[in-house]
């Protein structure tokens, strides 16, 4: 059987004699490695410093996290320069683990990390696709693989951010399909690491257990970054940053009221650091708006529209235990 269907057979007379040696055109030869690389030029081209400076401005505290991100950026920059001068520069493993309590900046840092990786040419787009177990794991046989592959398809070229990743592994349930999603992730993280960076995120103790139970994942995650909790002063700084961005100010006495709010709120369940600060500011804005609206008429100054008063904060339910019950006074006619 011939496989030359549709191909013109070349007559022997047209066949050129094959030369014994092939001469390589000088223009086609690989250029010799250069002797030096310009770090300043690469910094100007990629503008990575701008992203790192934004990280410093937009995130309060978190010094260990910022230091680690700068170290990773430096490694990638130097690898790029090594490649320019002909030195070995294999693509490093860029998969990461972000551990810490809710509201400590993990998602924000993931977004900045995507910008850095994109500007340095390690991912095609500055994009983060966030997901949880529900996006990856199916509820019946044959459901998990297509769900996981669809999320991976959307994340290709960028960063896949898996929040509360430890929920993928449920050893107490033999019929759970999370292990199937983990196996697919393992394959992709190794075979297609030039197309995708995976960041696992969650509480530190649970993430430690997760990686101990899945050593294959742990060996593929090169960077483990822990996000510390914020203290009260840092939370106050976060509040001022958020208020400034929205053109609000804390009026006389409101600074002390908000600090007192945080001191109480931090001890209550489900405290989420920066996220809880944002929510409390939103509720204070709501009370301020209702207070101003209740006036029904009159001209409001720019200062009044910007100012959060102590009452806007002290009306929060976290102060309820400090207030005397309204029914403490004896009823009329009682002896």
């Amino acid at each position: 059987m011939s496989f030359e269907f549709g191909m013109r057979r070349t007559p022997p007379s047209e066949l050129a004699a094959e030369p014994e040696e092939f001469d390589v055109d000088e223009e086609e030869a690989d250029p010799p490695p250069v002797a030096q690389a310009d770090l300043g030029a690469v910094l100007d081209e990629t503008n990575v410093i701008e992203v790192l400076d934004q990280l410093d401005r937009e995130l309060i505290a978190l010094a260990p996290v910022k230091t680690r991100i700068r170290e990773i950026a430096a490694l990638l920059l130097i690898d790029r320069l090594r490649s320019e001068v002909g030195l070995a520069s294999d693509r490093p493993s860029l998969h990461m683990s972000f551990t810490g309590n809710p509201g400590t900046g993990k998602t924000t840092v993931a977004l900045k990390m995507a910008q850095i990786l994109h500007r340095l040419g390690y991912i095609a787009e500055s994009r983060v696709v966030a997901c949880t177990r529900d996006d990856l794991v199916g509820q019946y046989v044959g459901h998990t693989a297509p769900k996981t592959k669809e999320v991976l398809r959307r994340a290709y070229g960028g960063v896949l951010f898996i929040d509360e990743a430890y929920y993928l592994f449920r050893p107490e349930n033999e019929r759970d399909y999370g292990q199937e999603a983990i196996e697919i992730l393992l394959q992709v993280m190794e075979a297609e690491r030039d197309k995708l960076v995976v960041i696992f995120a969650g509480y530190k103790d649970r993430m430690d257990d997760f990686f101990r139970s899945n050593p294959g994942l742990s060996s593929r995650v090169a960077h483990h970054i822990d996000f510390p909790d914020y203290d009260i002063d840092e939370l106050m700084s976060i509040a001022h940053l958020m208020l400034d961005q929205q053109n609000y100010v804390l009026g006389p006495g409101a600074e002390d009221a908000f600090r007192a709010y945080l001191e109480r709120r931090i001890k209550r369940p489900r405290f989420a650091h920066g996220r809880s600060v944002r929510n409390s500011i939103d509720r204070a804005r709501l009370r301020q708006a209702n207070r101003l609206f209740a006036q029904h008429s009159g001209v409001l100054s720019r200062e009044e529209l910007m100012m959060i008063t102590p009452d806007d904060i002290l009306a929060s339910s976290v102060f309820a235990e400090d207030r005397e019950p309204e029914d403490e006074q004896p009823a009329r006619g009682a002896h």
Side-chain angles (χ1 to χ4, degrees):
M1 181 181 293
S2 172
F3 293 96
E4 297 176 339
F5 179 78
M7 299 177 62
R8 184 177 73 87
R9 184 182 296 276
T10 304
S13 59
E14 295 183 19
L15 293 174
E18 184 175 322
E20 295 182 0
E21 296 182 358
F22 292 93
D23 294 328
V24 178
D25 192 324
E26 291 183 1
E27 294 182 359
E28 296 178 356
D30 291 335
V34 297
Q36 60 186 16
D38 190 340
L39 175 59
V42 173
L43 288 174
D44 289 341
E45 177 189 345
T46 60
N47 215 359
V48 168
I49 297 298
E50 177 189 15
V51 181
L52 295 173
D53 289 344
Q54 287 176 355
L55 195 64
D56 282 335
R57 290 195 306 270
E58 297 173 10
L59 272 185
I60 301 298
L62 297 181
V65 175
K66 295 175 181 177
T67 297
R68 190 64 183 276
I69 297 303
R70 284 185 176 273
E71 289 172 350
I72 295 172
L75 170 66
L76 301 181
L77 277 165
I78 296 304
D79 268 6
R80 175 167 173 166
L81 298 179
R82 285 173 57 87
S83 178
E84 289 184 5
V85 299
L87 296 174
S89 57
D90 293 339
R91 180 187 176 98
S93 176
L94 295 171
H95 305 307
M96 305 178 191
S97 169
F98 290 178
T99 55
N101 286 321
T104 50
K106 297 186 292 295
T107 304
T108 300
V109 172
L111 292 168
K112 296 301 180 187
M113 196 72 244
Q115 293 179 24
I116 292 171
L117 294 174
H118 172 60
R119 294 189 182 201
L120 292 175
Y122 284 88
I123 55 176
E125 300 178 56
S126 176
R127 185 180 76 251
V128 175
V129 173
C131 70
T132 63
R133 172 192 164 88
D134 290 344
D135 300 301
L136 299 169
V137 181
Q139 299 177 351
Y140 50 84
V141 175
H143 192 207
T144 295
K147 286 190 72 171
T148 301
K149 290 176 181 178
E150 171 59 22
V151 172
L152 288 168
R153 184 194 65 78
R154 289 192 285 112
Y156 275 143
V159 171
L160 176 62
F161 184 85
I162 306 177
D163 199 14
E164 297 183 317
Y166 36 76
Y167 284 131
L168 291 175
F169 184 65
R170 290 181 172 174
E172 71 281 357
N173 186 353
E174 295 180 356
R175 301 183 61 183
D176 186 70
Y177 304 113
Q179 188 60 41
E180 183 180 356
I182 292 173
E183 290 171 0
I184 295 171
L185 287 170
L186 279 170
Q187 296 171 9
V188 171
M189 289 168 66
E190 182 63 29
E192 302 187 64
R193 60 179 185 169
D194 59 329
K195 297 180 182 178
L196 178 71
V197 172
V198 180
I199 298 178
F200 299 93
Y203 291 106
K204 180 171 175 51
D205 55 346
R206 297 187 188 182
M207 289 300 293
D208 289 344
D209 291 340
F210 174 65
F211 284 123
R212 276 195 296 268
S213 302
N214 297 274
L217 276 178
S218 181
S219 65
R220 287 169 173 78
V221 176
H223 306 284
H224 293 259
I225 303 177
D226 186 43
F227 288 64
D229 289 347
Y230 293 110
D231 62 27
I232 294 295
D233 289 337
E234 291 166 347
L235 291 170
M236 287 297 299
S237 296
I238 291 172
H240 282 294
L241 181 63
M242 292 178 177
L243 290 164
D244 287 344
Q245 291 171 345
Q246 299 179 66
N247 297 128
Y248 284 92
V249 296
L250 294 175
E255 177 94 11
D256 292 337
F258 197 79
R259 179 178 287 272
Y261 167 87
L262 289 174
E263 289 171 347
R264 289 162 174 75
R265 181 65 184 88
I266 201 171
K267 299 173 183 177
R268 294 171 68 120
R270 298 183 298 278
F271 180 69
H273 293 271
R275 200 174 306 153
S276 291
V277 171
R278 181 184 298 111
N279 291 340
S280 65
I281 289 174
D282 286 345
R283 287 190 288 270
R285 290 175 54 208
L286 182 66
R287 297 186 196 103
Q288 183 236 34
N290 282 324
R291 173 172 54 80
L292 297 176
F293 178 74
Q295 299 177 16
H296 297 300
S297 62
V299 177
L300 295 173
S301 67
R302 176 184 174 88
E303 182 180 4
E304 288 175 309
L305 291 168
M306 293 176 63
M307 185 176 297
I308 302 293
T309 68
D311 288 343
D312 298 330
I313 297 165
L314 295 173
S316 169
S317 61
V318 302
F319 293 102
E321 60 189 24
D322 298 340
R323 293 191 282 266
E324 294 184 358
E326 295 179 359
D327 59 353
E328 279 196 347
Q329 298 297 325
R332 181 174 296 180
H335 297 286

